Amino acid sequence: MPDRGGGPTGPRIRVGRPSRRVRTLLMTLGVLAVLAMAFTMFAGFWTDWLWYRSVDYSSVFTTTLSTKIGLFFVFGLLMALAVGFNIWLAHRLRPPLSAMSMEQQSLDRYRMGIAPYKKWLLLGITALVGLIAGASASGQWRTWLMWINGVSFGQKDPQFHLDVSFYAFDLPWYRFLLGFGFAATILSLIAAALTHYLYGGLRVTSPGARATAAATGHLSVLLGIFVALKAVAYWLDRYGLAVKSSDFKATDNWTGLRYVDANAYLPAKTILFCIAVICALLFFATLWRRTWQLPVIGFGLMVLSAILIGGLYPAIVQKFQVQPNEQAKEAPYVEKNLKATREAYGIEGTQVTDYSGTSKTEDKTTLRDDVAGAASIRVLDPNIVSPTFQQLQQIRKYYAFPTNLDVDRYSVNGQDQDTVIGLRELNLAGVDKQNWINNHFRYTHGYGVVAAKGTTADADGRPAFTESNLPSEGVLGKYEQRIYYGEKTTTYSIVGGPQKEIDYSDDQGEKTTSYTGKSGVNLSSPVNRAAYAVAFGEPQILYSGAIGEGSRILYNRTPKERVEAVAPWLTIDGDAYPAVVGDRVQWIVDAYTTTNGYPYASRTTLGDTTADSLTATNNNRAVVAQQNQVNYIRNSVKATVDAYTGEVKLYQWDTKDPVLKTWMNAFPGTVEKKSEISTALMAHLRYPQDLFKVQRELLTRYHVKDATTFLSGSEVWQVPNDPTNQSNDAVPPYYLSMKMPDQKAQAFSLTTTFTPNGRDNLSAFMAVDSEAGTSGYGKIRVLKLPTSTTVDGPKQVQSQFNSEQDIAESIRLLKGGDSEVEYGNLLTVPLDGGLLYVEPVYVRGGGLKYPLLRKVLVSYGGVTAFEDSLDEALNKVFGTEGATPKPPADDGGTTTPPPATGNATVQEALQDAQKAFTAGQEALKKPDWEAYAKAQADLEAALKRAEDAQAAADNNANGSPSPSSSPSASAKPGTSASPEPSPSGSSSG
């Protein structure tokens, strides 16, 4: 600091350079930090390469990486050159002398300050914008690969008559190029303007002209390029109308042109394109005219035209042409949307058939034998019995089953049988002693398959296991039982080295094994060990003695993770399921190709469409691609993951899908032909649930084929909420072997129901043939119920079950103590023009922590039954003894008549009891205690008359006195103020 005077100064402190030792230490630390950062980046790259090579999909890694690197350098370099060139040109065109003004004197200080660093500053700015642009462009690798490898759809849009591939593959890439051009032009314009200002080419407060001729010409050219790009944008916007989403009362995600688009926006975009071209030429003309007058006028005209032609005119057309006669104006465009949407979602072949909903046969006893042919009714709910599998077949705490089990079919003694199946997977939370060796070296895999018949249970309500115990044994034969890859296997394991693994335990004690598969990455190399130690943040991998010759690290072990990694261009189904195929356990994963660019096809958000009551209540059942909006989907790939080796195979399933063909061009050799699917594997492939959920959601509106009905909204359906739980989410679809009315034999199917929008009665039943390898696979059938009469939907059937007095009393008794009642899947089966509903009821009783099948609810034609087994319930529904007729439909209540009896006096007394009971309930609601007391007295008197009449009838029948059946204590009136006395509790028919 300079001496300002005012007294003596202190001793001057001289700051010297650091010593050589300090400088050497700092340099060493700096080099080490750079090396550590470099090795960290290298570790991520190297471990990824090793993993892809270990699964034989290295081409996916190299293709993706090279594409990203290529886009990064090409577009990063283009952006850097564009901005750098315009900065250099602006500096080159600077005036030799700047005007003498306060503004220029202030700028002189900046000019002098940066003069020694101009080159470095130019390089820094261009490098920065180049890095940002390159990073952004590398994220467009999918867009580039689809554009360069795109194949024709063989279908043209109805407006511009261009192949669908233009919208799906070309238009996204053109839009990216346009966006890049806008960004490069705007950044170049800003950089050039700042440079001109800094060096006097542009002046704000200086006297004289505000811009030199050179600056005017330079900036006008850049503005001309910007306006020319705007003209290109207007032209592309014309085609974008075919894939534009808009709000329309007919549907929430309308896509495509409407009347106002075709007759107002489309000509407006064409006119604006012409104006923008003229405006761009006026900007370019300033190179010769050196004046801004005409370009500014042209630009103002373009802005005004955009407001009037692009905004006001379409609003006038909509208000005065469309709204007065909307249905007639929009009908041709709705028809295009209907056709395109049905094609894009694969629902164009849906067979909609009228179905009466009521049985045609008067004598219902003749239908009992038809039930077996109509469906193999599954009473074992895979979404409930996982705790039962866990309790009965877990064997060891370090095994576990997924929350949701799966339904498959297996041939047993030559007969296909619906089977509930789950794998005994590794559960590290059950390991008593948690440490690094146990968690990653000793406990490495699950063991065995557990399966049970879907259509029956044993006498105690337990699953009837067809494959069980440890090691597993049963009808599935011999297969590799070790499960190294599964839905619950989320941690890495190191296997095959000197440390032995726990295989399983039996009466003779623990048995050990050592992994012999070729999966995983070899850790014999010190470089590999160091890379994984850094990548996993686990230094023990580098120096642990448990790792030696032959050690391999297994990771990315869930089936969905592995398929997503080797095919990042696929959308994966939320539910992978296991199957014993030959001598191996294979995970089967359904995968989809999608696009958002199918013209006129309405969009859907996959995450919302695939959500249901199961995804809401169970964490391991994921929805598909939560935020992805698509308007085209195909189940084009079936993938398998070997549960022992982790081997991933992709099979072409939809051989006509152009999106899949495009990706197969981009990644040749990764997808095997459909003919490579073995017969054993084909027997376990099925129609995927998530695709079915997307299609059923679209069919709530797109089951109609005429524009008038679609626009009126009179035929809109909805997927009902699951009545068996309180989640208020959509009922999930159910797999079931069943026969639709036009089928000759049962087929493994996926089923669901529909109700009218805002109502609970049934409007339709939908099933798709899920039997892969058959001619009917993928055939969607919809049984449409009449609108003139009402047929009970799932919620009403569930309410009917709950309101039946005998059933409600039985449920109350089942809930006695600390027991819990759980309702299983409510299955719907078409039968003789009517609909058969079946619902298993499970009980977690007393100290038991797992559900057992205790009852089965059945309803058909207004008759319900609640019995210990399915056969007993069916016998009661289709027989005459003990059948409970359904009460007449009444929106105001659910009053249930008393059960039938052969004694007229008893019947009359019970009817009086029912009336008294209803009167008591009404009195409680008000509340009117005087009326309630009177009703209770009437109820007691009526029950006493019924008891005496029944006793007299028994005496007459037996010839001797016998004690009469009396109401249960809990139902006896007058004992409490509880509103639950049951007049039907004294007689079960």
Side-chain angles (χ1 to χ4, degrees):
M1 297 289 291
D3 186 4
R4 298 179 182 271
T9 61
R12 188 180 298 273
I13 299 175
R14 183 171 182 175
V15 180
R17 297 176 62 190
S19 65
R20 181 185 298 273
R21 179 178 298 175
V22 173
R23 293 200 305 272
T24 303
L25 178 62
L26 291 175
M27 289 181 63
T28 302
L29 292 176
V31 170
L32 289 176
V34 171
L35 289 176
M37 292 177 60
F39 188 78
T40 300
M41 296 174 61
F42 166 78
F45 163 81
W46 185 243
T47 52
D48 285 346
W49 161 249
L50 291 173
W51 186 86
Y52 275 97
R53 192 176 64 175
S54 73
V55 293
D56 295 328
Y57 281 90
S58 55
S59 62
V60 174
F61 179 81
T62 55
T63 299
T64 304
L65 182 64
S66 62
T67 303
K68 290 180 179 179
I69 291 174
L71 292 172
F72 176 86
F73 279 106
V74 169
F75 286 95
L77 185 61
L78 286 174
M79 182 65 78
L81 287 175
V83 175
F85 172 76
N86 281 282
I87 293 175
W88 172 83
L89 184 60
H91 180 265
R92 181 73 179 269
L93 297 176
R94 70 190 184 279
L97 296 173
S98 57
M100 295 303 295
S101 65
M102 292 299 296
E103 179 185 25
Q104 295 303 315
Q105 289 178 12
S106 299
L107 291 174
D108 275 340
R109 293 199 302 268
Y110 293 103
R111 288 192 284 262
M112 293 175 63
I114 66 174
Y117 310 106
K118 285 191 293 187
K119 291 183 178 179
W120 292 107
L121 189 61
L122 177 63
L123 288 174
I125 293 173
T126 55
L128 179 62
V129 297
L131 286 172
I132 295 173
S136 177
S138 66
Q140 298 294 322
W141 64 271
R142 290 181 176 86
T143 307
W144 162 259
L145 287 176
M146 293 184 78
W147 178 68
I148 201 68
N149 295 287
V151 301
S152 172
F153 272 70
Q155 294 175 297
K156 295 184 178 181
D157 78 281
Q159 181 67 41
F160 302 102
H161 307 292
L162 296 174
D163 192 89
V164 173
S165 61
F166 170 80
Y167 301 94
F169 306 141
D170 299 342
L171 191 58
W173 179 248
Y174 297 154
R175 288 195 180 280
F176 164 71
L177 292 179
L178 184 64
F180 179 83
F182 273 122
T185 303
I186 292 172
L187 289 175
S188 297
L189 185 62
I190 294 172
L194 289 174
T195 305
H196 280 300
Y197 176 73
L198 181 63
Y199 285 98
L202 292 177
R203 307 180 185 99
V204 178
T205 61
S206 299
R210 297 301 182 193
T212 64
T216 300
H218 184 195
L219 295 180
S220 64
V221 169
L222 289 174
L223 287 171
I225 294 174
F226 177 85
V227 176
L229 289 172
K230 188 62 180 175
V232 176
Y234 282 133
W235 189 257
L236 289 180
D237 285 346
R238 297 169 70 254
Y239 302 111
L241 292 172
V243 290
K244 182 196 72 170
S245 288
S246 60
D247 295 329
F248 189 32
K249 69 177 184 179
T251 179
D252 296 332
N253 294 295
W254 173 274
T255 301
L257 286 84
R258 291 156 52 195
Y259 180 89
V260 69
D261 297 314
N263 295 278
Y265 281 110
L266 187 56
K269 296 293 183 182
T270 305
I271 295 171
L272 289 172
F273 164 76
C274 296
I275 294 174
V277 170
I278 295 171
C279 188
L281 293 175
L282 291 175
F283 273 108
F284 293 140
T286 57
L287 286 172
W288 295 276
R289 293 181 57 85
R290 304 294 182 180
T291 175
W292 291 92
Q293 185 176 6
L294 286 178
V296 170
I297 293 174
F299 188 77
L301 177 62
M302 188 179 75
V303 173
L304 183 62
S305 300
I307 295 173
L308 295 178
I309 301 175
L312 185 59
Y313 174 61
I316 293 173
V317 171
Q318 178 69 25
K319 179 71 174 177
F320 296 102
Q321 291 190 30
V322 177
Q323 289 185 4
N325 192 17
E326 186 175 39
Q327 199 163 69
K329 295 291 187 182
E330 299 288 13
Y333 304 95
V334 170
E335 289 177 358
K336 296 175 184 178
N337 175 270
L338 285 170
K339 183 175 184 295
T341 302
R342 292 169 66 87
E343 290 173 348
Y345 290 95
I347 57 177
E348 73 278 11
T350 300
Q351 176 183 306
V352 180
T353 307
D354 290 334
Y355 193 72
S356 65
T358 56
S359 176
K360 306 168 187 176
T361 304
E362 293 185 5
D363 185 5
K364 298 298 186 293
T365 58
T366 61
L367 297 178
R368 175 63 183 89
D369 294 335
D370 296 338
V371 175
S376 297
I377 299 174
R378 178 170 45 76
V379 295
L380 201 64
D381 187 346
N383 305 307
I384 287 184
V385 298
S386 179
T388 308
F389 274 51
Q390 185 85 357
Q391 184 71 27
L392 302 178
Q393 288 296 317
Q394 179 189 22
I395 311 297
R396 295 289 182 266
K397 290 192 299 181
Y398 47 82
Y399 294 133
F401 293 93
T403 306
N404 301 104
L405 302 178
D406 290 286
V407 178
D408 201 349
R409 64 259 188 238
Y410 287 85
S411 180
V412 179
N413 298 325
Q415 296 290 326
D416 284 344
Q417 183 179 90
D418 287 4
T419 302
V420 175
I421 186 172
L423 301 189
R424 196 182 284 113
E425 294 189 46
L426 177 66
N427 174 33
L428 288 177
V431 175
D432 290 330
K433 189 174 182 181
Q434 299 277 337
N435 57 53
W436 189 64
I437 293 295
N438 277 346
N439 291 351
H440 300 288
F441 289 83
R442 287 181 57 76
Y443 295 93
T444 60
H445 59 278
Y447 205 99
V449 174
V450 177
K453 295 179 181 179
T455 55
T456 187
D458 68 12
D460 296 321
R462 301 176 181 178
F465 291 109
T466 57
E467 186 81 8
S468 58
N469 299 331
L470 184 69
S472 295
E473 55 187 6
V475 300
L476 301 183
K478 299 293 184 181
Y479 57 93
E480 175 57 66
Q481 298 199 19
R482 298 173 182 86
I483 311 299
Y484 281 88
Y485 294 88
E487 290 179 302
K488 300 177 72 68
T489 313
T490 56
T491 60
Y492 70 90
S493 291
I494 299 176
V495 298
Q499 178 66 58
K500 291 291 186 181
E501 311 160 43
I502 292 178
D503 203 19
Y504 64 91
S505 300
D506 58 16
D507 295 339
Q508 284 73 43
E510 285 185 354
K511 297 189 181 298
T512 60
T513 189
S514 187
Y515 186 68
T516 58
K518 300 301 181 183
S519 182
V521 178
N522 198 313
L523 293 180
S524 58
S525 167
V527 175
N528 290 358
R529 293 176 67 170
Y532 278 103
V534 171
F536 288 0
E538 183 49 72
Q540 292 187 77
I541 294 177
L542 183 60
Y543 56 78
S544 174
I547 302 175
E549 189 65 29
S551 292
R552 310 179 74 85
I553 185 168
L554 313 180
Y555 61 105
N556 287 350
R557 298 172 70 183
T558 68
K560 287 188 286 187
E561 278 181 328
R562 295 181 79 77
V563 176
E564 282 175 336
V566 303
W569 36 274
L570 290 173
T571 301
I572 309 302
D573 190 271
D575 181 36
Y577 61 98
V580 178
V581 181
D583 60 351
R584 293 286 189 180
V585 176
Q586 298 280 356
W587 287 99
I588 300 175
V589 183
D590 285 288
Y592 310 106
T593 49
T594 62
T595 182
N596 196 26
Y598 198 99
Y600 271 103
S602 291
R603 290 182 171 86
T604 187
T605 304
L606 290 181
D608 296 337
T609 309
T610 58
D612 58 27
S613 63
L614 295 183
T615 61
T617 56
N618 296 298
N619 294 329
N620 70 312
R621 191 180 183 88
V623 296
V624 176
Q626 183 69 52
Q627 301 302 322
N628 275 20
Q629 271 211 334
V630 304
N631 65 354
Y632 172 93
I633 186 170
R634 290 290 185 273
N635 176 215
S636 51
V637 171
K638 300 284 190 182
T640 61
V641 177
D642 192 295
Y644 182 75
T645 66
E647 180 185 20
V648 182
K649 287 188 176 182
L650 308 176
Y651 296 100
Q652 181 183 16
W653 185 247
D654 190 333
T655 57
K656 297 180 180 179
D657 178 26
V659 181
L660 176 60
K661 291 178 181 178
T662 296
W663 286 118
M664 290 175 69
N665 289 341
F667 296 96
T670 56
V671 180
E672 299 185 27
K673 294 181 179 179
K674 186 175 183 178
S675 58
E676 297 297 319
I677 299 177
S678 67
T679 304
L681 175 60
M682 184 70 77
H684 297 282
L685 300 181
R686 66 188 191 189
Y687 202 83
Q689 293 185 67
D690 286 328
L691 175 61
F692 183 79
K693 285 189 277 189
V694 171
Q695 291 174 326
R696 75 172 179 179
E697 184 66 31
L698 267 296
L699 281 169
T700 58
R701 290 182 178 271
Y702 287 91
H703 63 277
V704 301
K705 296 183 179 180
D706 63 287
T708 303
T709 306
F710 186 82
L711 283 168
S712 71
S714 61
E715 290 288 335
V716 176
W717 300 338
Q718 66 182 11
V719 178
N721 290 340
D722 191 344
T724 65
N725 58 54
Q726 304 300 318
S727 68
N728 290 323
D729 290 285
V731 62
Y734 297 124
Y735 285 106
L736 184 68
S737 290
M738 57 163 292
K739 182 176 68 174
M740 292 290 276
D742 65 326
Q743 291 179 296
K744 296 181 179 179
Q746 290 184 19
F748 191 64
S749 304
L750 195 52
T751 66
T752 193
T753 53
F754 295 108
T755 59
N757 194 26
R759 298 178 61 191
D760 294 325
N761 56 287
L762 199 68
S763 58
F765 174 81
M766 172 182 171
V768 62
D769 192 335
S770 302
E771 196 81 40
T774 63
S775 58
Y777 175 83
K779 176 71 174 180
I780 300 175
R781 295 175 172 86
V782 175
L783 302 180
K784 183 180 176 183
L785 279 299
T787 56
S788 57
T789 59
T790 58
V791 177
D792 285 347
K795 184 177 180 180
Q796 292 173 321
V797 170
Q798 187 69 46
S799 177
Q800 176 189 340
F801 285 156
N802 296 338
S803 64
E804 292 279 1
Q805 292 297 324
D806 288 347
I807 296 176
E809 179 65 17
S810 298
I811 293 291
R812 191 185 68 79
L813 292 175
L814 289 174
K815 290 181 178 179
D818 59 352
S819 298
E820 298 178 11
V821 172
E822 296 183 43
Y823 293 101
N825 37 217
L826 181 58
L827 302 177
T828 309
V829 178
L831 178 66
D832 190 51
L835 292 163
L836 176 68
Y837 287 96
V838 179
E839 182 179 67
V841 178
Y842 294 84
V843 178
R844 294 179 188 245
L848 296 178
K849 302 301 181 184
Y850 57 94
L852 297 176
L853 180 64
R854 291 304 190 196
K855 293 284 186 177
V856 178
L857 284 162
V858 174
S859 174
Y860 184 80
V863 180
T864 61
F866 185 62
E867 300 298 326
D868 293 338
S869 70
L870 175 62
D871 283 339
E872 291 176 4
L874 291 172
N875 288 337
K876 184 173 181 179
V877 164
F878 292 105
T880 56
E881 183 180 356
T884 306
K886 179 188 171 185
D890 182 2
D891 294 335
T894 55
T895 304
T896 305
T901 177
N903 190 306
T905 305
V906 173
Q907 178 68 17
E908 182 181 356
L910 288 177
Q911 288 176 348
D912 292 341
Q914 177 67 76
K915 292 177 182 178
F917 174 74
T918 303
Q921 298 304 299
E922 294 296 328
L924 280 175
K925 291 177 182 178
K926 293 182 180 181
D928 184 343
W929 298 112
E930 184 178 350
Y932 178 73
K934 182 179 183 303
Q936 289 298 295
D938 292 343
L939 175 62
E940 185 172 7
L943 289 175
K944 184 67 169 64
R945 291 204 321 272
E947 182 179 356
D948 293 343
Q950 185 64 48
D954 290 342
N955 288 338
N956 292 335
N958 299 331
S960 60
S962 64
S964 63
S965 58
S966 60
S968 62
S970 61
K972 187 174 182 179
T975 57
S976 69
S978 169
E980 295 185 353
S982 175
S984 60
S986 60
S987 175
S988 61

